[in-house]
Every structure is written in C-alpha cells, then in structure tokens.
Amino acid sequence: MTSVDLSQRPRRLSLTHRATELPLAYNARPGTGPSVVYLHGLGSTKQDFAAAWAELDGFSLYAFDFPGCGDTPYPEGARLTIEDLVAITHKFLTAEKLTAVTLIGHSFGGLVALLLARRYPELVSRLISIEGNVAPEDCGVVSRAAVAHAANLSASEVVRTVQQELRDSGRVGFDTYAQRLPKTVWPRAFVDYCRSIVEWSDNAPLVDYFVTLPQDRLFIYGAATPRPSYLPRLEAGHVSVAEIPNSDHFPIDSNPAAFWHQIRSFLNGDA
C-alpha cells in the first residue's frame, strides 16, 4: 500500500455555529464501506490521521480540523468550549450525511467523541478513544498547566510557556508535540479549550459516561505513559482496553504498526 499525501488536498465545508460561519477544513475518502471519523487532539490536526488512507482499506474516512487548529481558523471574538466542538462535529456528520460511524478520538478529541456518542447514540456505532480525557488525572501535563498560566499570561505567552515546559519534561513524545504546537493551534483556541477540558474532566462523571455507552468501545493507551487508574472500571464496564507497547501519549506516531493493527482488529471485530 502507498500512503497518500493529503497535505495539499484539504476540502472546505462551510458550517454556521453561533451565527458565525466556520470554514471547516477536512480530508475525506468517501466509499462504500463503513464510515470512520477521526477527531484530533489539542495542538494536533487532521493530518494525524493521514496514514489511515493506506492502513484502512474498505472504509470511508473523514478527518477535520477543529476551529483554531490546523487549517480551520478560530472565529474572531469567540470563546469555544468542548460543548461547541460536540455541536460542530454533529453538524459535520449531518452535512456529510454520515450515520452509524466509528468515532476515533485522540486526547481531547476523545472527550468530544465520548460526549457526542452519549448525546447522539443513533449516529455512532463504535467509539475508539486514544487516551481521551475521562478523569482529572488526564489533565496534568498540558491543559491544567495552561489554565494555571492563563491567570497571569496572554494566550500567546501560555502557548510558549507550555511549549518550553513540555520540552523540559522528559516525557517521551512531548518534545515533538511541543515543537509543532505554535504552528498547529491558535493561542486563544488553545487556552479556551484547555479551560473547558479541565472543567469537564474535574466535574463530570466521564468514566461513568464511558462505561454506560451502548456502543462497542475501545480505549487505547501507550505503555510509556502512566497507567490510568480507571482502567479496571472501564474493563468492568465491558470496554475493550488495549496497551500499545513502546508508545507514549501519541501511539499513532510512536508505534504506528501496533497502533494500526489494534485499530484494524477492532474495526473488523477481532479485538
């Protein structure tokens, strides 16, 4: 299989949200197979899913940039939250006439995917969360630090400070993430989303939401990251759990062979 360079071929979908037009940038490979929609993490983009074009034969594939990330601008004067991203994702699915989709969400994209699957179960047949936010412990490295800095710094200064802290953290994978951070996210969007991530993670019973979903569910985490304390609760709730060896918070990058094998196994009903 030959991978496809999608960087020169983004599509645009004009959506209206809060009376504001959003030119959503997305990649798509419509087909006759089941639809898979990827929701990227904060500071990442739709391009994280580019390898899927080669790795997932027989599926219809979609990935878009949230407002303020990648090629989708952040609306002037807006202060968007996770709830807004759930609504925008729902509008994207509706505009593309997608139903019974498999949602794959990484990090804060996993939180968006979880809330959308709970709110619109008729649209989502399966959910794959790649270290998606479901507990307060999931906020420590980036979002909680950003919220603390935002009390005294401008949004641009917050991004630069978090970038430096990630470079100094010694955490596998975060150095590469830190290098690209200023290029992939609007500072205002970064701070606004971090505030909303922390609020949801600290105040909503997200693990309960996850285990009570009616859809087939898979939670993926990297072996090099601290083992989530809530994994026993997920497993008790019949959630499939997969550890990706030699991997960090970014298994799609750090161990793509094992990551895509796990994704294919779940999509094909083997996991």
Side-chain angles (χ1 to χ4, degrees), residues 152-184:
N152 301 302
L153 301 176
S154 69
S156 295
E157 290 170 331
V158 168
V159 171
R160 289 195 295 269
T161 301
V162 170
Q163 179 187 34
Q164 188 58 52
E165 289 176 347
L166 292 175
R167 286 174 171 169
D168 297 338
S169 69
R171 294 283 297 270
V172 177
F174 278 97
D175 184 63
T176 301
Y177 171 79
Q179 290 179 31
R180 72 188 185 207
L181 187 60
K183 305 173 185 177
T184 56

PDB file of all heavy atoms in Angstrom, residues 152-184:
ATOM      1  N   ASN A 152      -2.102  34.646  34.499  1.00  0.00           N
ATOM      2  CA  ASN A 152      -1.139  35.748  34.514  1.00  0.00           C
ATOM      3  C   ASN A 152      -0.517  36.066  33.154  1.00  0.00           C
ATOM      4  O   ASN A 152       0.179  37.081  33.023  1.00  0.00           O
ATOM      5  CB  ASN A 152       0.001  35.429  35.498  1.00  0.00           C
ATOM      6  CG  ASN A 152      -0.486  35.211  36.909  1.00  0.00           C
ATOM      7  OD1 ASN A 152      -1.109  36.085  37.493  1.00  0.00           O
ATOM      8  ND2 ASN A 152      -0.217  34.036  37.453  1.00  0.00           N
ATOM      9  N   LEU A 153      -0.753  35.236  32.169  1.00  0.00           N
ATOM     10  CA  LEU A 153      -0.094  35.397  30.883  1.00  0.00           C
ATOM     11  C   LEU A 153      -1.116  35.536  29.760  1.00  0.00           C
ATOM     12  O   LEU A 153      -2.259  35.078  29.878  1.00  0.00           O
ATOM     13  CB  LEU A 153       0.802  34.190  30.582  1.00  0.00           C
ATOM     14  CG  LEU A 153       1.915  33.882  31.581  1.00  0.00           C
ATOM     15  CD1 LEU A 153       2.644  32.609  31.173  1.00  0.00           C
ATOM     16  CD2 LEU A 153       2.891  35.048  31.687  1.00  0.00           C
ATOM     17  N   SER A 154      -0.701  36.157  28.669  1.00  0.00           N
ATOM     18  CA  SER A 154      -1.542  36.203  27.472  1.00  0.00           C
ATOM     19  C   SER A 154      -1.599  34.811  26.848  1.00  0.00           C
ATOM     20  O   SER A 154      -0.792  33.925  27.176  1.00  0.00           O
ATOM     21  CB  SER A 154      -0.958  37.185  26.457  1.00  0.00           C
ATOM     22  OG  SER A 154       0.261  36.681  25.920  1.00  0.00           O
ATOM     23  N   ALA A 155      -2.540  34.620  25.941  1.00  0.00           N
ATOM     24  CA  ALA A 155      -2.691  33.313  25.299  1.00  0.00           C
ATOM     25  C   ALA A 155      -1.415  32.898  24.567  1.00  0.00           C
ATOM     26  O   ALA A 155      -0.989  31.738  24.638  1.00  0.00           O
ATOM     27  CB  ALA A 155      -3.880  33.334  24.346  1.00  0.00           C
ATOM     28  N   SER A 156      -0.800  33.835  23.862  1.00  0.00           N
ATOM     29  CA  SER A 156       0.446  33.514  23.150  1.00  0.00           C
ATOM     30  C   SER A 156       1.553  33.128  24.114  1.00  0.00           C
ATOM     31  O   SER A 156       2.328  32.200  23.857  1.00  0.00           O
ATOM     32  CB  SER A 156       0.883  34.705  22.297  1.00  0.00           C
ATOM     33  OG  SER A 156      -0.059  34.967  21.275  1.00  0.00           O
ATOM     34  N   GLU A 157       1.615  33.829  25.249  1.00  0.00           N
ATOM     35  CA  GLU A 157       2.626  33.509  26.259  1.00  0.00           C
ATOM     36  C   GLU A 157       2.353  32.145  26.889  1.00  0.00           C
ATOM     37  O   GLU A 157       3.300  31.403  27.227  1.00  0.00           O
ATOM     38  CB  GLU A 157       2.659  34.596  27.328  1.00  0.00           C
ATOM     39  CG  GLU A 157       3.214  35.928  26.834  1.00  0.00           C
ATOM     40  CD  GLU A 157       3.021  37.051  27.842  1.00  0.00           C
ATOM     41  OE1 GLU A 157       2.042  37.003  28.619  1.00  0.00           O
ATOM     42  OE2 GLU A 157       3.856  37.969  27.839  1.00  0.00           O
ATOM     43  N   VAL A 158       1.092  31.792  27.052  1.00  0.00           N
ATOM     44  CA  VAL A 158       0.743  30.478  27.596  1.00  0.00           C
ATOM     45  C   VAL A 158       1.269  29.384  26.682  1.00  0.00           C
ATOM     46  O   VAL A 158       1.885  28.408  27.139  1.00  0.00           O
ATOM     47  CB  VAL A 158      -0.777  30.344  27.778  1.00  0.00           C
ATOM     48  CG1 VAL A 158      -1.146  28.886  28.070  1.00  0.00           C
ATOM     49  CG2 VAL A 158      -1.274  31.240  28.903  1.00  0.00           C
ATOM     50  N   VAL A 159       1.038  29.523  25.371  1.00  0.00           N
ATOM     51  CA  VAL A 159       1.499  28.508  24.429  1.00  0.00           C
ATOM     52  C   VAL A 159       3.019  28.375  24.484  1.00  0.00           C
ATOM     53  O   VAL A 159       3.562  27.262  24.528  1.00  0.00           O
ATOM     54  CB  VAL A 159       1.035  28.843  22.999  1.00  0.00           C
ATOM     55  CG1 VAL A 159       1.691  27.912  21.985  1.00  0.00           C
ATOM     56  CG2 VAL A 159      -0.484  28.737  22.898  1.00  0.00           C
ATOM     57  N   ARG A 160       3.728  29.506  24.512  1.00  0.00           N
ATOM     58  CA  ARG A 160       5.194  29.443  24.561  1.00  0.00           C
ATOM     59  C   ARG A 160       5.681  28.813  25.860  1.00  0.00           C
ATOM     60  O   ARG A 160       6.644  28.036  25.868  1.00  0.00           O
ATOM     61  CB  ARG A 160       5.781  30.847  24.399  1.00  0.00           C
ATOM     62  CG  ARG A 160       5.641  31.411  22.991  1.00  0.00           C
ATOM     63  CD  ARG A 160       6.540  32.616  22.801  1.00  0.00           C
ATOM     64  NE  ARG A 160       6.154  33.736  23.662  1.00  0.00           N
ATOM     65  CZ  ARG A 160       5.300  34.693  23.309  1.00  0.00           C
ATOM     66  NH1 ARG A 160       4.726  34.654  22.109  1.00  0.00           N
ATOM     67  NH2 ARG A 160       5.004  35.682  24.147  1.00  0.00           N
ATOM     68  N   THR A 161       5.020  29.139  26.983  1.00  0.00           N
ATOM     69  CA  THR A 161       5.435  28.589  28.269  1.00  0.00           C
ATOM     70  C   THR A 161       5.185  27.093  28.336  1.00  0.00           C
ATOM     71  O   THR A 161       6.047  26.320  28.782  1.00  0.00           O
ATOM     72  CB  THR A 161       4.685  29.295  29.414  1.00  0.00           C
ATOM     73  OG1 THR A 161       4.956  30.700  29.367  1.00  0.00           O
ATOM     74  CG2 THR A 161       5.110  28.744  30.766  1.00  0.00           C
ATOM     75  N   VAL A 162       4.004  26.654  27.903  1.00  0.00           N
ATOM     76  CA  VAL A 162       3.698  25.223  27.889  1.00  0.00           C
ATOM     77  C   VAL A 162       4.651  24.494  26.950  1.00  0.00           C
ATOM     78  O   VAL A 162       5.120  23.383  27.256  1.00  0.00           O
ATOM     79  CB  VAL A 162       2.229  24.992  27.486  1.00  0.00           C
ATOM     80  CG1 VAL A 162       1.969  23.511  27.225  1.00  0.00           C
ATOM     81  CG2 VAL A 162       1.291  25.513  28.567  1.00  0.00           C
ATOM     82  N   GLN A 163       4.947  25.102  25.822  1.00  0.00           N
ATOM     83  CA  GLN A 163       5.888  24.509  24.878  1.00  0.00           C
ATOM     84  C   GLN A 163       7.234  24.235  25.548  1.00  0.00           C
ATOM     85  O   GLN A 163       7.793  23.137  25.421  1.00  0.00           O
ATOM     86  CB  GLN A 163       6.073  25.440  23.679  1.00  0.00           C
ATOM     87  CG  GLN A 163       7.059  24.910  22.640  1.00  0.00           C
ATOM     88  CD  GLN A 163       7.346  25.945  21.562  1.00  0.00           C
ATOM     89  OE1 GLN A 163       7.365  27.143  21.833  1.00  0.00           O
ATOM     90  NE2 GLN A 163       7.553  25.478  20.345  1.00  0.00           N
ATOM     91  N   GLN A 164       7.749  25.207  26.281  1.00  0.00           N
ATOM     92  CA  GLN A 164       9.038  25.030  26.947  1.00  0.00           C
ATOM     93  C   GLN A 164       8.953  23.988  28.048  1.00  0.00           C
ATOM     94  O   GLN A 164       9.863  23.167  28.224  1.00  0.00           O
ATOM     95  CB  GLN A 164       9.528  26.364  27.518  1.00  0.00           C
ATOM     96  CG  GLN A 164      10.953  26.304  28.045  1.00  0.00           C
ATOM     97  CD  GLN A 164      11.949  25.881  26.981  1.00  0.00           C
ATOM     98  OE1 GLN A 164      11.991  26.466  25.889  1.00  0.00           O
ATOM     99  NE2 GLN A 164      12.735  24.850  27.276  1.00  0.00           N
ATOM    100  N   GLU A 165       7.869  23.991  28.795  1.00  0.00           N
ATOM    101  CA  GLU A 165       7.718  23.004  29.871  1.00  0.00           C
ATOM    102  C   GLU A 165       7.677  21.590  29.310  1.00  0.00           C
ATOM    103  O   GLU A 165       8.229  20.660  29.916  1.00  0.00           O
ATOM    104  CB  GLU A 165       6.449  23.304  30.666  1.00  0.00           C
ATOM    105  CG  GLU A 165       6.543  24.556  31.525  1.00  0.00           C
ATOM    106  CD  GLU A 165       5.255  24.887  32.230  1.00  0.00           C
ATOM    107  OE1 GLU A 165       4.206  24.297  31.885  1.00  0.00           O
ATOM    108  OE2 GLU A 165       5.288  25.741  33.134  1.00  0.00           O
ATOM    109  N   LEU A 166       7.026  21.410  28.173  1.00  0.00           N
ATOM    110  CA  LEU A 166       6.965  20.084  27.562  1.00  0.00           C
ATOM    111  C   LEU A 166       8.337  19.650  27.072  1.00  0.00           C
ATOM    112  O   LEU A 166       8.711  18.479  27.182  1.00  0.00           O
ATOM    113  CB  LEU A 166       5.965  20.087  26.406  1.00  0.00           C
ATOM    114  CG  LEU A 166       4.499  20.257  26.795  1.00  0.00           C
ATOM    115  CD1 LEU A 166       3.628  20.364  25.553  1.00  0.00           C
ATOM    116  CD2 LEU A 166       4.032  19.098  27.668  1.00  0.00           C
ATOM    117  N   ARG A 167       9.105  20.592  26.542  1.00  0.00           N
ATOM    118  CA  ARG A 167      10.465  20.261  26.105  1.00  0.00           C
ATOM    119  C   ARG A 167      11.337  19.830  27.270  1.00  0.00           C
ATOM    120  O   ARG A 167      12.223  18.989  27.117  1.00  0.00           O
ATOM    121  CB  ARG A 167      11.089  21.472  25.409  1.00  0.00           C
ATOM    122  CG  ARG A 167      10.552  21.742  24.012  1.00  0.00           C
ATOM    123  CD  ARG A 167      11.111  23.035  23.462  1.00  0.00           C
ATOM    124  NE  ARG A 167      10.777  23.215  22.061  1.00  0.00           N
ATOM    125  CZ  ARG A 167      10.948  24.354  21.381  1.00  0.00           C
ATOM    126  NH1 ARG A 167      11.466  25.414  22.009  1.00  0.00           N
ATOM    127  NH2 ARG A 167      10.626  24.437  20.115  1.00  0.00           N
ATOM    128  N   ASP A 168      11.094  20.419  28.438  1.00  0.00           N
ATOM    129  CA  ASP A 168      11.904  20.119  29.615  1.00  0.00           C
ATOM    130  C   ASP A 168      11.376  18.949  30.437  1.00  0.00           C
ATOM    131  O   ASP A 168      12.010  18.551  31.418  1.00  0.00           O
ATOM    132  CB  ASP A 168      11.974  21.357  30.525  1.00  0.00           C
ATOM    133  CG  ASP A 168      12.664  22.538  29.862  1.00  0.00           C
ATOM    134  OD1 ASP A 168      13.439  22.317  28.915  1.00  0.00           O
ATOM    135  OD2 ASP A 168      12.407  23.687  30.293  1.00  0.00           O
ATOM    136  N   SER A 169      10.219  18.400  30.057  1.00  0.00           N
ATOM    137  CA  SER A 169       9.556  17.410  30.903  1.00  0.00           C
ATOM    138  C   SER A 169      10.208  16.040  30.874  1.00  0.00           C
ATOM    139  O   SER A 169      10.034  15.245  31.809  1.00  0.00           O
ATOM    140  CB  SER A 169       8.082  17.266  30.486  1.00  0.00           C
ATOM    141  OG  SER A 169       7.982  16.651  29.202  1.00  0.00           O
ATOM    142  N   GLY A 170      10.932  15.728  29.814  1.00  0.00           N
ATOM    143  CA  GLY A 170      11.493  14.393  29.679  1.00  0.00           C
ATOM    144  C   GLY A 170      10.477  13.349  29.290  1.00  0.00           C
ATOM    145  O   GLY A 170      10.793  12.152  29.231  1.00  0.00           O
ATOM    146  N   ARG A 171       9.252  13.765  29.015  1.00  0.00           N
ATOM    147  CA  ARG A 171       8.201  12.826  28.606  1.00  0.00           C
ATOM    148  C   ARG A 171       8.369  12.451  27.148  1.00  0.00           C
ATOM    149  O   ARG A 171       8.480  13.316  26.278  1.00  0.00           O
ATOM    150  CB  ARG A 171       6.819  13.450  28.813  1.00  0.00           C
ATOM    151  CG  ARG A 171       6.444  13.714  30.261  1.00  0.00           C
ATOM    152  CD  ARG A 171       6.034  12.442  30.976  1.00  0.00           C
ATOM    153  NE  ARG A 171       4.846  11.845  30.398  1.00  0.00           N
ATOM    154  CZ  ARG A 171       3.594  12.129  30.789  1.00  0.00           C
ATOM    155  NH1 ARG A 171       3.381  13.016  31.746  1.00  0.00           N
ATOM    156  NH2 ARG A 171       2.566  11.527  30.219  1.00  0.00           N
ATOM    157  N   VAL A 172       8.391  11.155  26.895  1.00  0.00           N
ATOM    158  CA  VAL A 172       8.570  10.663  25.532  1.00  0.00           C
ATOM    159  C   VAL A 172       7.432  11.175  24.654  1.00  0.00           C
ATOM    160  O   VAL A 172       6.270  11.131  25.019  1.00  0.00           O
ATOM    161  CB  VAL A 172       8.592   9.126  25.525  1.00  0.00           C
ATOM    162  CG1 VAL A 172       8.715   8.606  24.095  1.00  0.00           C
ATOM    163  CG2 VAL A 172       9.728   8.598  26.376  1.00  0.00           C
ATOM    164  N   GLY A 173       7.756  11.674  23.487  1.00  0.00           N
ATOM    165  CA  GLY A 173       6.750  12.107  22.526  1.00  0.00           C
ATOM    166  C   GLY A 173       6.355  13.560  22.642  1.00  0.00           C
ATOM    167  O   GLY A 173       5.944  14.166  21.667  1.00  0.00           O
ATOM    168  N   PHE A 174       6.476  14.139  23.832  1.00  0.00           N
ATOM    169  CA  PHE A 174       6.006  15.501  24.016  1.00  0.00           C
ATOM    170  C   PHE A 174       6.959  16.542  23.443  1.00  0.00           C
ATOM    171  O   PHE A 174       6.554  17.668  23.182  1.00  0.00           O
ATOM    172  CB  PHE A 174       5.732  15.778  25.497  1.00  0.00           C
ATOM    173  CG  PHE A 174       4.393  15.273  25.952  1.00  0.00           C
ATOM    174  CD1 PHE A 174       4.276  14.047  26.585  1.00  0.00           C
ATOM    175  CD2 PHE A 174       3.247  16.021  25.728  1.00  0.00           C
ATOM    176  CE1 PHE A 174       3.037  13.582  26.994  1.00  0.00           C
ATOM    177  CE2 PHE A 174       2.006  15.560  26.135  1.00  0.00           C
ATOM    178  CZ  PHE A 174       1.904  14.338  26.766  1.00  0.00           C
ATOM    179  N   ASP A 175       8.218  16.186  23.241  1.00  0.00           N
ATOM    180  CA  ASP A 175       9.145  17.131  22.638  1.00  0.00           C
ATOM    181  C   ASP A 175       8.739  17.421  21.198  1.00  0.00           C
ATOM    182  O   ASP A 175       8.702  18.581  20.767  1.00  0.00           O
ATOM    183  CB  ASP A 175      10.577  16.604  22.691  1.00  0.00           C
ATOM    184  CG  ASP A 175      11.574  17.610  22.149  1.00  0.00           C
ATOM    185  OD1 ASP A 175      11.694  18.692  22.753  1.00  0.00           O
ATOM    186  OD2 ASP A 175      12.209  17.326  21.120  1.00  0.00           O
ATOM    187  N   THR A 176       8.424  16.370  20.446  1.00  0.00           N
ATOM    188  CA  THR A 176       7.958  16.560  19.064  1.00  0.00           C
ATOM    189  C   THR A 176       6.659  17.343  19.037  1.00  0.00           C
ATOM    190  O   THR A 176       6.472  18.243  18.212  1.00  0.00           O
ATOM    191  CB  THR A 176       7.761  15.196  18.377  1.00  0.00           C
ATOM    192  OG1 THR A 176       9.001  14.494  18.379  1.00  0.00           O
ATOM    193  CG2 THR A 176       7.284  15.379  16.946  1.00  0.00           C
ATOM    194  N   TYR A 177       5.755  17.013  19.950  1.00  0.00           N
ATOM    195  CA  TYR A 177       4.492  17.730  20.059  1.00  0.00           C
ATOM    196  C   TYR A 177       4.739  19.208  20.344  1.00  0.00           C
ATOM    197  O   TYR A 177       4.127  20.090  19.736  1.00  0.00           O
ATOM    198  CB  TYR A 177       3.650  17.103  21.168  1.00  0.00           C
ATOM    199  CG  TYR A 177       2.409  17.860  21.553  1.00  0.00           C
ATOM    200  CD1 TYR A 177       1.243  17.785  20.791  1.00  0.00           C
ATOM    201  CD2 TYR A 177       2.385  18.653  22.701  1.00  0.00           C
ATOM    202  CE1 TYR A 177       0.099  18.471  21.157  1.00  0.00           C
ATOM    203  CE2 TYR A 177       1.241  19.346  23.072  1.00  0.00           C
ATOM    204  CZ  TYR A 177       0.102  19.249  22.304  1.00  0.00           C
ATOM    205  OH  TYR A 177      -1.026  19.936  22.661  1.00  0.00           O
ATOM    206  N   ALA A 178       5.677  19.485  21.265  1.00  0.00           N
ATOM    207  CA  ALA A 178       5.969  20.873  21.637  1.00  0.00           C
ATOM    208  C   ALA A 178       6.516  21.657  20.456  1.00  0.00           C
ATOM    209  O   ALA A 178       6.187  22.842  20.282  1.00  0.00           O
ATOM    210  CB  ALA A 178       6.964  20.891  22.792  1.00  0.00           C
ATOM    211  N   GLN A 179       7.339  21.028  19.638  1.00  0.00           N
ATOM    212  CA  GLN A 179       7.930  21.727  18.507  1.00  0.00           C
ATOM    213  C   GLN A 179       6.871  22.200  17.518  1.00  0.00           C
ATOM    214  O   GLN A 179       6.992  23.284  16.939  1.00  0.00           O
ATOM    215  CB  GLN A 179       8.926  20.807  17.802  1.00  0.00           C
ATOM    216  CG  GLN A 179      10.184  20.527  18.605  1.00  0.00           C
ATOM    217  CD  GLN A 179      11.128  19.605  17.871  1.00  0.00           C
ATOM    218  OE1 GLN A 179      11.190  19.593  16.642  1.00  0.00           O
ATOM    219  NE2 GLN A 179      11.885  18.811  18.619  1.00  0.00           N
ATOM    220  N   ARG A 180       5.834  21.413  17.331  1.00  0.00           N
ATOM    221  CA  ARG A 180       4.829  21.782  16.335  1.00  0.00           C
ATOM    222  C   ARG A 180       3.688  22.623  16.904  1.00  0.00           C
ATOM    223  O   ARG A 180       2.897  23.188  16.146  1.00  0.00           O
ATOM    224  CB  ARG A 180       4.262  20.527  15.666  1.00  0.00           C
ATOM    225  CG  ARG A 180       3.349  19.688  16.551  1.00  0.00           C
ATOM    226  CD  ARG A 180       2.985  18.372  15.905  1.00  0.00           C
ATOM    227  NE  ARG A 180       2.017  17.637  16.697  1.00  0.00           N
ATOM    228  CZ  ARG A 180       1.906  16.306  16.678  1.00  0.00           C
ATOM    229  NH1 ARG A 180       2.700  15.586  15.917  1.00  0.00           N
ATOM    230  NH2 ARG A 180       0.986  15.714  17.410  1.00  0.00           N
ATOM    231  N   LEU A 181       3.616  22.708  18.235  1.00  0.00           N
ATOM    232  CA  LEU A 181       2.464  23.337  18.884  1.00  0.00           C
ATOM    233  C   LEU A 181       2.162  24.742  18.366  1.00  0.00           C
ATOM    234  O   LEU A 181       1.001  25.029  18.020  1.00  0.00           O
ATOM    235  CB  LEU A 181       2.670  23.353  20.402  1.00  0.00           C
ATOM    236  CG  LEU A 181       1.496  23.823  21.259  1.00  0.00           C
ATOM    237  CD1 LEU A 181       0.280  22.929  21.039  1.00  0.00           C
ATOM    238  CD2 LEU A 181       1.893  23.799  22.742  1.00  0.00           C
ATOM    239  N   PRO A 182       3.120  25.676  18.291  1.00  0.00           N
ATOM    240  CA  PRO A 182       2.774  27.033  17.840  1.00  0.00           C
ATOM    241  C   PRO A 182       2.308  27.081  16.384  1.00  0.00           C
ATOM    242  O   PRO A 182       1.679  28.069  15.982  1.00  0.00           O
ATOM    243  CB  PRO A 182       4.091  27.802  18.010  1.00  0.00           C
ATOM    244  CG  PRO A 182       4.917  26.985  18.937  1.00  0.00           C
ATOM    245  CD  PRO A 182       4.539  25.567  18.661  1.00  0.00           C
ATOM    246  N   LYS A 183       2.594  26.041  15.620  1.00  0.00           N
ATOM    247  CA  LYS A 183       2.234  26.032  14.201  1.00  0.00           C
ATOM    248  C   LYS A 183       0.867  25.409  13.943  1.00  0.00           C
ATOM    249  O   LYS A 183       0.332  25.540  12.844  1.00  0.00           O
ATOM    250  CB  LYS A 183       3.291  25.268  13.396  1.00  0.00           C
ATOM    251  CG  LYS A 183       4.708  25.781  13.571  1.00  0.00           C
ATOM    252  CD  LYS A 183       5.695  24.861  12.866  1.00  0.00           C
ATOM    253  CE  LYS A 183       7.130  25.287  13.128  1.00  0.00           C
ATOM    254  NZ  LYS A 183       8.108  24.360  12.509  1.00  0.00           N
ATOM    255  N   THR A 184       0.322  24.733  14.942  1.00  0.00           N
ATOM    256  CA  THR A 184      -0.888  23.958  14.701  1.00  0.00           C
ATOM    257  C   THR A 184      -2.113  24.445  15.462  1.00  0.00           C
ATOM    258  O   THR A 184      -3.210  23.914  15.251  1.00  0.00           O
ATOM    259  CB  THR A 184      -0.657  22.480  15.073  1.00  0.00           C
ATOM    260  OG1 THR A 184      -0.217  22.394  16.429  1.00  0.00           O
ATOM    261  CG2 THR A 184       0.384  21.845  14.155  1.00  0.00           C
TER     262      THR A 184
END
